[in-house]
Amino acid sequence: MKTIKKDLTLTLKDGAHREFRTDDFWRTIPAWKDVSKEEFSDHMWQMKNSIKKVEQVKTVLAELCTEEFYQDMLDGQHKTPMNIRITPYVFALIDWKDPVNDPLRKQFLPIGSQFLPDHPYYEADSLHEDVDSPVPGLTHRYYDKVLFLPTTICPVYCSYCTRSRLIGGSTETVEKETYGVNTARMEAAFEYIRNTPQVEDVVISGGDAFMLTSKQLTYIGESLLNIPHIRRIRFATKGIAIYPQKITSDHEWFNALCGVHQMGKDMGKSVVVHTHFSSPKEITIYSKMAMDRLFAAGIIVRNQAVLQEGVNDSINDMVLLIRQMEYMNVQPYYVYIHDMVPGCEHFRTTIAESVALEKAMRGTTAGFNTPTFVCDAPGGGGKRHIASYEYYDEENGISVWTAPNVKPGEVFFYFDPIRKLSPEAQARWADPMMREKMIADAKAKAGF
Ligand SMILES: *Cc1c(COP(=O)(O)O)cnc(C)c1O
């Protein structure tokens, strides 16, 4: 038996991507019914009123929060690897008449009833970022590019974070050593990059670049651009999607970003921003205003989304997301199949579903705005095109991957979520000996 085939017929209304929400949508939230547009548009107001505790959800929502949903959130706190932090902007965009099924609620506010047992091959550091790490906070996996993590904090915590082992505060299930910017760590990373001339490209992530102060952002940007062999830097932030008021009203921070961008330009080097819109529901006139400001400053913004069931795995949602992003001048760059990290089983899709969605989406808009669907191979194989597996046992949900110029000679596996397999395959997965055998068989069929 194969996985159930989904309807991939595009039925999006003409021009849907040109409609941006302009209403005072936050006024439907009882605590914010008298908040003016000016207040809501202020980044300081957004930070100050961010929601960091389940109890606050209840206070802010008042009568909109049912007791059943409240209990479900409390239960979620015993299970989630990420604590909660949500800007009023995102919080107010959730459909509070049906929070359980809302794509934004799903991403940022874990509830107990959603969690499924983790896959047996889950790893907290699924991508082996801490393994391929010459100095703490820096991953050097690919020949000419590195991933630099100067901070572990974000303006909003995604409950599916691929770095839930590090990011945000400790939860009942995960102990973390949270840090803001640590100067000694940062200097060690710069020193490594200075001494490694093949590195031309630095991804500055975390955590989230929005949480760097303007001074830190300038310091990091200037330090990297001043290294002669560095040609490209990217600041990674989910902020444009979940906290656009920072771009439109934190002028000091925005000017710091423009300063680093200008310095790069003067040196013939590229400074760009990578962001993370996942659902068309995150996009409003605020997103457009933030992007208009970045575009006018000449700063290129690219997007990396994560494919998630019930968030963006329908053809209409995915195409709408992509068209809205391109309308705002965000370039859709990657769509990742979900990483195999704890607490995420309910979000994951199969390789077959992901390939089918990418196939259905391709051709709906400009090629340069068509994202590449990738699997970041568990165990450190790096990003691979979703259909470039060596072998795929769809019945048992086992795909076999190689990465010839990243990890020559190594073989990697990705496993589809067990709930999507046939009852017979699920029974095989329940048996540890059988599991090992199925994996060995798939590896042999792939020729290894
Ligand atoms: C994603 C990633 C990069 C950047 O890869 P691109 O494909 O160029 O976006 C660099 N280093 C690591 C470890 C990464 O995971």
Side-chain angles (χ1 to χ4, degrees):
M1 193 185 94
K2 299 262 171 161
T3 41
I4 298 147
K5 292 273 178 291
K6 250 184 41 188
D7 186 6
L8 292 167
T9 321
L10 187 61
T11 56
L12 208 55
K13 172 166 86 85
D14 272 345
H17 66 283
R18 296 187 203 114
E19 291 165 13
F20 291 84
R21 270 189 93 158
T22 56
D23 59 317
D24 292 358
F25 54 86
W26 60 92
R27 289 182 187 259
T28 57
I29 307 293
W32 304 328
K33 66 180 192 321
D34 298 323
V35 172
S36 68
K37 205 183 260 317
E38 287 66 38
E39 283 174 290
F40 195 78
S41 306
D42 176 24
H43 71 105
M44 298 288 279
W45 187 90
Q46 289 286 331
M47 267 298 101
K48 215 170 95 215
N49 291 282
S50 284
I51 286 164
K52 296 176 195 152
K53 285 202 165 60
V54 168
E55 293 72 24
Q56 260 175 296
V57 175
K58 191 172 174 166
T59 317
V60 167
L61 285 178
E63 70 275 11
L64 296 184
C65 185
T66 64
E67 188 54 29
E68 191 191 353
F69 186 71
Y70 184 59
Q71 290 302 328
D72 212 353
M73 281 192 295
L74 287 176
D75 186 27
Q77 291 304 296
H78 303 309
K79 298 174 179 167
T80 180
M82 292 301 289
N83 47 13
I84 57 174
R85 181 169 182 151
I86 315 175
T87 50
Y89 173 74
V90 174
F91 191 85
L93 286 170
I94 293 172
D95 175 6
W96 288 105
K97 285 190 214 71
D98 186 15
V100 172
N101 294 309
D102 186 273
L104 302 185
R105 197 287 306 154
K106 285 181 186 174
Q107 291 179 72
F108 309 113
L109 200 54
I111 51 176
S113 60
Q114 79 192 11
F115 287 100
L116 296 170
D118 284 341
H119 191 280
Y121 290 97
Y122 267 29
E123 277 188 76
D125 182 18
S126 171
L127 305 181
H128 284 198
E129 290 180 340
D130 303 338
V131 178
D132 292 343
S133 176
V135 293
L138 191 89
T139 301
H140 188 188
R141 165 169 310 141
Y142 304 96
Y143 177 74
D144 65 354
K145 56 191 179 186
V146 292
L147 170 67
F148 173 39
L149 309 175
T151 176
T152 66
I153 51 177
C154 303
V156 159
Y157 290 128
C158 307
S159 61
Y160 55 92
C161 182
T162 193
R163 297 194 189 104
S164 60
R165 68 188 190 279
L166 303 170
I167 304 302
S170 297
T171 68
E172 286 180 40
T173 58
V174 193
E175 272 299 321
K176 305 174 200 183
E177 181 205 336
T178 302
Y179 57 89
V181 173
N182 174 323
T183 315
R185 274 175 91 114
M186 211 154 74
E187 293 307 327
F190 294 155
E191 192 56 24
Y192 174 84
I193 298 170
R194 256 182 231 115
N195 293 327
T196 316
Q198 86 222 40
V199 175
E200 296 188 348
D201 186 340
V202 184
V203 181
I204 303 147
S205 187
D208 192 303
F210 258 36
M211 299 310 268
L212 300 171
T213 63
S214 48
K215 278 206 182 69
Q216 289 163 345
L217 185 136
T218 302
Y219 182 71
I220 292 172
E222 288 181 352
S223 302
L224 292 172
L225 289 173
N226 278 327
I227 299 173
H229 50 271
I230 292 302
R231 302 288 307 157
R232 299 173 289 281
I233 67 175
R234 355 174 176 168
F235 286 102
T237 174
K238 190 168 171 71
I240 306 169
I242 47 77
Y243 180 28
Q245 293 82 2
K246 174 102 172 163
I247 298 288
T248 50
S249 73
D250 187 348
H251 306 303
E252 187 188 326
W253 193 89
F254 183 77
N255 289 336
L257 178 66
C258 290
V260 175
H261 176 252
Q262 186 61 45
M263 176 175 168
K265 222 167 139 183
D266 294 342
M267 298 170 93
K269 300 182 176 191
S270 114
V271 176
V272 307
V273 172
H274 278 199
T275 195
H276 177 185
F277 285 96
S278 267
S279 151
K281 277 203 71 176
E282 290 153 24
I283 299 176
T284 67
I285 198 66
Y286 286 94
S287 334
K288 173 88 168 39
M289 289 188 303
M291 276 313 304
D292 285 350
R293 191 169 195 202
L294 286 157
F295 190 73
I299 299 175
I300 289 173
V301 179
R302 305 191 187 107
N303 192 71
Q304 313 196 164
V306 180
L307 184 60
Q308 294 182 316
E309 184 159 91
V311 172
N312 54 17
D313 66 330
S314 81
I315 184 71
N316 284 334
D317 284 346
M318 186 54 81
V319 171
L320 180 58
L321 173 69
I322 280 156
R323 286 191 181 152
Q324 282 198 295
M325 284 193 294
E326 66 175 339
Y327 195 80
M328 300 190 292
N329 297 304
V330 178
Q331 189 199 333
Y333 177 36
Y334 282 141
V335 174
Y336 292 87
I337 194 168
H338 218 291
D339 288 336
M340 294 189 61
V341 289
C344 292
E345 196 62 5
H346 57 286
F347 274 132
R348 294 202 301 128
T349 53
T350 64
I351 294 285
E353 289 171 319
S354 314
V355 170
L357 186 62
E358 118 89 40
K359 192 194 265 182
M361 193 220 53
R362 191 159 289 275
T364 59
T365 192
F368 57 79
N369 277 331
T370 301
T372 304
F373 280 51
V374 292
C375 172
D376 209 338
K383 300 171 186 73
R384 312 303 304 170
H385 183 271
I386 197 73
S388 70
Y389 44 77
E390 301 296 325
Y391 176 74
Y392 181 28
D393 170 1
E394 192 178 339
E395 165 69 21
N396 292 310
I398 301 170
S399 47
V400 184
W401 307 78
T402 58
N405 284 312
V406 182
K407 296 283 171 65
E410 286 187 45
V411 179
F412 304 89
F413 299 92
Y414 184 85
F415 303 109
D416 291 345
I418 291 173
R419 74 179 188 289
K420 301 213 171 195
L421 305 178
S422 67
E424 299 76 24
Q426 293 194 23
R428 288 192 285 275
W429 269 96
D431 175 353
M433 299 272 285
M434 193 56 130
R435 262 180 227 159
E436 298 292 327
K437 185 181 173 313
M438 291 189 299
I439 296 168
D441 285 352
K443 189 172 172 185
K445 287 220 176 87
F448 302 104

